[in-house]
Amino acid sequence: MSHPIAPHGSAQLRPLLVPAEERIAALAHAATLPRLTVSSREAGDIIMLGIGGFTPLSGFMGHADWHGVVTEMKLASGLFWPIPITLSTSAEQAEGLALGQELALADAAGNLLAILTLEEKYRIDKALEAREVFRTEDPAHPGVAALYAQGEVNLGGSLRVLSEGDFPERFPGVYLTPAQTRGLIAERGWKTVAAFQTRNPMHRSHEYLAKIALEVCDGVLIHSLLGNLKAGDIPSEVRVQAIDALTGKYFVEDSVISAGYPLDMRYAGPREALLHALFRQNYGCTHLIVGRDHAGVGDYYGPFDAQRVFDELPAGSLLTQPLKIDWTFWCEACASMASTKTCPHDASQRLLLSGSKLRKLLSEGGEVPAQFSRPEVLDILRAYYAGLEAHERVEVTLVGASAK
Amino acid sequence: MSHPIAPHGSAQLRPLLVPAEERIAALAHAATLPRLTVSSREAGDIIMLGIGGFTPLSGFMGHADWHGVVTEMKLASGLFWPIPITLSTSAEQAEGLALGQELALADAAGNLLAILTLEEKYRIDKALEAREVFRTEDPAHPGVAALYAQGEVNLGGSLRVLSEGDFPERFPGVYLTPAQTRGLIAERGWKTVAAFQTRNPMHRSHEYLAKIALEVCDGVLIHSLLGNLKAGDIPSEVRVQAIDALTGKYFVEDSVISAGYPLDMRYAGPREALLHALFRQNYGCTHLIVGRDHAGVGDYYGPFDAQRVFDELPAGSLLTQPLKIDWTFWCEACASMASTKTCPHDASQRLLLSGSKLRKLLSEGGEVPAQFSRPEVLDILRAYYAGLEAHERVEVTLVGASAK
């Protein structure tokens, strides 16, 4: 079946997963190799490389790619790439590694994820990467903190990926590879598909974003981040359940594909928005919805920086285009969902709830207006918070008991 | 100021209006020429040619252009053009006209509109034009009826346009030329502009179409047809007033330009949708909202024929792209405006009123739900129907009196 959009910089997806029939032999071989434990962010990147989401990369970046990406958003080949995909280790550990050797990469739980053929060891200017990629050197920024916490030496080289981690088991039917997602899109005959990136349950403001996209595209891919978030965020499992409840009742069947991808958040704002568009191209999407403060955190980015950054790219950098949409909310005077672009009324007419206010309402049995969130979604969140609080009460009790 | 989109087939607009300082001399000259009275449709076309809305045409089409447009949607030059722009007269009148001579063209009220330099006289196969352009030879189709009613001989030649008719006086601030409209768009710095074609007052379903466009484009041109419609339609003046009431209260200031253009409806469905996109390109719009049964009438066209026809064009035919949107309505279960693409609920949840039902409600003091139309719009329509009925009652009384 023909597909409306080619992968990034390649006619075909380039998944680095070892074919299933060679997997056992490769795992046995990996078990004999020196082992490196990777971070959660690196583990997500390995799986993304494995399933072809980072096509056309062949592994972790070497110095020339790292430098080009950081300073010019270009690989050494000239191809557009907005965020370094790198692996790092301590200087001490790097010392003992020889170029050309193979390394087994394992996650924190000890699962073997990949075999790296080491091609380069190099030190980086972390402050440069922070400034260019995150637009700040502030160590309070979670992405910068992770960068500063990583080892001193980057390891570049090609990868053979051995595992998709626990994503297939944890998210059956939701965790889909780029090839599977492209297959579904082709099956439905969609010519235009907008990806809706989400790391939160979908309230009516998010539903509205997805529905605007649906009005102007053939279909929408609701694409949930399944990797790690900041503490306090709603876990992926709960989020996926809430999204299913929403789409099941308020979307036309077969107008959306609800799925997820294995990365952690980097919170790099504009640069991450570009990466989100890039890998959505690999997943077969022609558009990415870019809302207010996309992939941002705190006040590090202006609310529309992530939209504007697309305008600054050289033509042809990305096939997937941004669908830029403003801040959305229910407006009483409009008697509808609206955005700052379509609603002329003042704040007193607009229904806006912060995450913490919502949590307070849900935890304490307060009423959340149906204009803010669908009752079916609220039920799931209420159940989650109830469980969480029971759990927290138990912990408090135990702590109290042991303190006596 | 730079503009996001070039006119059709030309780097510059090509208005055929005689410059203001030569207008008096040209009118005096026209008064000495043999005179032809043109139809309302032809008068609209002349004014559109005059203001550059039909760039790059230099006048009424000759036979090669007519034939290419009818059969292949191409001018003799190869440039895309979907509907013939022709002038016709009776065989008898044509007999007395010599190639190379000048003719004054006047509207039914006797106003001089243009000077035609006659370059061609030719007969056409009306059934061919009907089949190809209107997809029917049924004389009950109003566009086909007008074609069959026109004279037997078409007159091709270049035009010098002398007047914009009464549009500037009747619609001050609303009737804008393509150059004026482009000027406003450039002033606002819009890179993407969607035209919303309308020949009706805007209810919430139309507001929703325009607002979807606004969510994904920088601005919207609400573009009213100011020429003639079918009997029973709301007059342009009332429609413009109703649109102003809507945009004044429910749209962000400077997010829309409300304006109009001088053509009559042809009701050619898909082919007219293409013409609508073509001249919107000349007005500086990057997109045209194409809804359900765009420019259709009765049951002559499938509801999405006018959307699909854009997919069949050779690449590059038009720069202005369709923004295809489905049938829109208020849905009670969605508790929002929606379309058949975004609402999964059944007809019992959807608020749909026919034009005749709405008129009945408005005339008889019935309540029209605010979810169907804004109260400010309904007030204007109620006042219009009240005036109309008073007028009709007077007419009925007079007819009754004279019959006695």
Side-chain angles (χ1 to χ4, degrees):
Chain A
M1 272 171 290
S2 82
H3 198 277
I5 195 163
H8 184 59
S10 170
Q12 301 291 331
L13 288 171
R14 305 228 192 128
L16 306 182
L17 260 173
V18 169
E21 64 276 16
E22 302 168 23
R23 199 78 55 88
I24 291 171
L27 277 165
H29 174 59
T32 69
L33 298 173
R35 183 173 300 201
L36 202 71
T37 300
V38 303
S39 69
S40 169
R41 194 268 294 158
E42 290 163 342
D45 289 354
I46 289 171
I47 297 171
M48 200 65 158
L49 287 159
I51 58 181
F54 283 156
T55 294
L57 300 186
S58 60
F60 283 111
M61 292 179 182
H63 183 266
D65 283 341
W66 173 84
H67 189 262
V69 166
V70 166
T71 59
E72 295 186 278
M73 298 204 280
K74 274 184 195 169
L75 297 172
S77 69
L79 187 70
F80 171 77
W81 202 281
I83 287 195
I85 306 298
T86 55
L87 173 69
S88 67
T89 190
S90 65
E92 194 184 14
Q93 185 148 26
E95 194 72 31
L97 301 175
L99 298 191
Q101 83 167 81
E102 287 182 330
L103 277 171
L105 306 182
D107 65 18
N111 303 302
L112 286 174
L113 295 179
I115 298 168
L116 175 79
T117 303
L118 185 63
E119 287 153 19
E120 266 190 67
K121 301 190 283 185
Y122 60 100
R123 286 174 182 261
I124 60 166
D125 180 345
K126 288 186 178 179
L128 174 70
E129 179 168 334
R131 271 197 315 276
E132 295 287 331
V133 174
F134 295 99
R135 299 188 178 188
T136 174
E137 293 177 46
D138 184 353
H141 182 294
V144 174
L147 170 64
Y148 286 177
Q150 78 191 26
E152 290 311 304
V153 179
N154 280 4
L155 305 178
S158 57
L159 273 190
R160 299 171 63 210
V161 178
L162 306 173
S163 165
E164 296 170 69
D166 59 359
F167 290 107
E169 292 75 44
R170 272 174 68 203
F171 301 101
V174 169
Y175 169 79
L176 301 178
T177 65
Q180 288 169 329
T181 311
R182 286 178 162 259
L184 285 177
I185 289 169
E187 234 173 63
R188 298 191 185 184
W190 295 346
K191 298 275 173 275
T192 51
V193 192
F196 177 69
Q197 150 76 31
T198 182
R199 47 177 158 133
N200 286 301
M202 289 174 73
H203 301 299
R204 284 205 59 186
S205 58
H206 312 104
E207 176 188 336
Y208 179 60
L209 291 173
K211 286 192 166 173
I212 291 168
L214 212 42
E215 298 293 9
V216 299
C217 294
D218 295 332
V220 164
L221 173 68
I222 295 178
H223 216 201
S224 257
L225 178 133
L226 302 176
N228 285 325
L229 296 148
K230 295 191 277 50
D233 286 335
I234 305 270
S236 308
E237 285 85 349
V238 180
R239 179 184 354 126
V240 164
Q241 208 188 335
I243 290 172
D244 283 351
L246 177 76
T247 56
K249 182 134 182 212
Y250 297 98
F251 282 77
V252 174
E253 210 184 333
D254 288 345
S255 71
V256 291
I257 297 169
S258 183
Y261 66 97
L263 297 184
D264 286 6
M265 277 304 294
R266 284 165 157 90
Y267 302 100
R271 288 269 196 139
E272 192 161 1
L274 295 172
L275 185 70
H276 282 170
L278 185 156
F279 73 71
R280 260 44 171 255
Q281 185 176 326
N282 288 333
Y283 276 90
C285 299
T286 54
H287 294 80
L288 171 70
I289 299 171
V290 181
R292 188 172 165 279
D293 199 23
H294 188 104
V297 62
D299 290 326
Y300 291 98
Y301 310 107
F304 301 110
D305 286 359
Q307 295 187 348
R308 268 194 293 267
V309 72
F310 285 89
D311 302 332
E312 297 155 11
L313 300 183
S317 299
L318 281 172
L319 300 180
T320 295
Q321 293 300 303
L323 202 58
K324 304 172 183 176
I325 309 184
D326 224 312
W327 204 7
T328 57
F329 43 78
W330 174 269
C331 169
E332 199 53 41
C334 289
S336 70
M337 297 304 301
S339 79
T340 36
K341 261 177 99 180
T342 52
C343 162
H345 307 111
D346 65 30
S348 70
Q349 300 290 328
R350 296 176 180 175
L351 180 59
L352 297 163
L353 286 181
S354 67
S356 52
K357 177 78 194 286
L358 176 67
R359 178 173 173 173
K360 197 170 144 67
L361 284 173
L362 288 173
S363 306
E364 298 174 359
E367 273 303 307
V368 178
Q371 290 90 342
F372 183 81
S373 194
R374 301 293 186 186
E376 294 81 358
V377 171
L378 293 172
D379 285 347
I380 288 166
L381 297 182
R382 251 186 224 105
Y384 165 67
Y385 283 122
L388 197 65
E389 306 231 318
H391 181 70
E392 282 170 357
R393 275 196 301 276
V394 171
E395 282 193 338
V396 170
T397 314
L398 291 177
V399 171
S402 69
K404 267 177 194 170
Chain B
M1 269 172 291
S2 81
H3 198 278
I5 196 164
H8 184 59
S10 170
Q12 301 291 331
L13 288 171
R14 304 231 191 127
L16 307 182
L17 260 174
V18 169
E21 64 275 17
E22 301 168 23
R23 199 79 55 86
I24 290 173
L27 278 164
H29 174 61
T32 69
L33 299 172
R35 182 173 299 200
L36 201 72
T37 299
V38 303
S39 70
S40 168
R41 195 269 293 158
E42 290 163 343
D45 288 355
I46 289 170
I47 296 171
M48 200 65 158
L49 287 159
I51 59 181
F54 284 156
T55 294
L57 300 187
S58 59
F60 283 112
M61 292 178 181
H63 183 265
D65 283 341
W66 172 84
H67 189 262
V69 166
V70 166
T71 60
E72 296 187 278
M73 299 204 280
K74 273 185 195 169
L75 297 171
S77 69
L79 187 70
F80 171 76
W81 201 279
I83 288 196
I85 306 298
T86 55
L87 172 70
S88 66
T89 191
S90 65
E92 193 183 15
Q93 186 148 23
E95 194 71 32
L97 301 175
L99 297 191
Q101 83 167 81
E102 288 182 331
L103 276 172
L105 306 182
D107 66 16
N111 303 301
L112 286 173
L113 295 179
I115 298 168
L116 175 81
T117 304
L118 184 63
E119 288 153 18
E120 266 191 67
K121 301 191 283 185
Y122 60 100
R123 287 174 181 260
I124 61 167
D125 179 344
K126 288 186 179 180
L128 175 69
E129 180 169 333
R131 272 197 316 277
E132 294 287 332
V133 174
F134 294 98
R135 299 189 177 186
T136 175
E137 294 178 43
D138 183 351
H141 182 294
V144 174
L147 170 64
Y148 287 177
Q150 78 191 28
E152 291 310 304
V153 179
N154 279 4
L155 306 178
S158 57
L159 272 191
R160 300 170 64 208
V161 177
L162 306 173
S163 165
E164 295 170 71
D166 59 0
F167 290 107
E169 291 76 43
R170 273 174 69 203
F171 301 102
V174 169
Y175 169 78
L176 300 177
T177 65
Q180 288 169 330
T181 310
R182 287 177 161 259
L184 284 177
I185 289 169
E187 236 172 61
R188 297 189 186 187
W190 294 347
K191 298 274 173 276
T192 51
V193 192
F196 176 68
Q197 151 76 32
T198 182
R199 47 177 159 130
N200 285 302
M202 290 173 72
H203 300 299
R204 283 205 60 185
S205 58
H206 311 104
E207 177 188 335
Y208 180 59
L209 291 173
K211 286 192 166 173
I212 292 168
L214 211 43
E215 297 293 9
V216 299
C217 294
D218 296 332
V220 164
L221 173 67
I222 295 178
H223 217 201
S224 257
L225 177 133
L226 302 176
N228 285 325
L229 297 147
K230 295 193 277 53
D233 286 335
I234 305 272
S236 309
E237 284 86 349
V238 179
R239 182 191 342 132
V240 164
Q241 208 188 334
I243 290 172
D244 282 351
L246 177 76
T247 56
K249 182 133 181 211
Y250 297 98
F251 281 77
V252 174
E253 209 184 333
D254 289 345
S255 71
V256 291
I257 296 169
S258 182
Y261 65 98
L263 296 184
D264 286 5
M265 279 303 295
R266 284 162 156 91
Y267 301 101
R271 287 268 196 142
E272 191 160 3
L274 295 172
L275 186 69
H276 282 170
L278 185 157
F279 73 72
R280 262 44 172 257
Q281 186 177 324
N282 288 333
Y283 276 90
C285 298
T286 54
H287 293 79
L288 171 69
I289 299 171
V290 181
R292 189 171 164 279
D293 199 23
H294 188 104
V297 64
D299 291 325
Y300 291 99
Y301 311 107
F304 301 110
D305 286 0
Q307 296 187 348
R308 267 193 294 266
V309 73
F310 284 88
D311 303 331
E312 297 154 12
L313 300 183
S317 299
L318 281 172
L319 300 180
T320 295
Q321 293 301 303
L323 202 57
K324 303 172 184 176
I325 309 183
D326 223 312
W327 203 8
T328 57
F329 44 78
W330 175 268
C331 169
E332 199 53 40
C334 289
S336 69
M337 298 303 301
S339 79
T340 36
K341 260 176 99 182
T342 52
C343 162
H345 307 110
D346 65 30
S348 70
Q349 300 290 329
R350 297 176 180 175
L351 179 59
L352 296 162
L353 287 181
S354 68
S356 51
K357 178 77 194 286
L358 176 65
R359 178 174 171 171
K360 197 170 143 66
L361 284 173
L362 288 172
S363 307
E364 297 175 359
E367 273 303 308
V368 178
Q371 290 90 342
F372 183 81
S373 194
R374 302 292 185 183
E376 295 80 359
V377 170
L378 293 172
D379 285 348
I380 288 165
L381 298 182
R382 252 187 223 104
Y384 165 67
Y385 283 123
L388 196 66
E389 306 231 319
H391 181 70
E392 281 170 357
R393 273 198 301 278
V394 171
E395 281 192 339
V396 168
T397 314
L398 291 176
V399 170
S402 71
K404 267 179 196 167

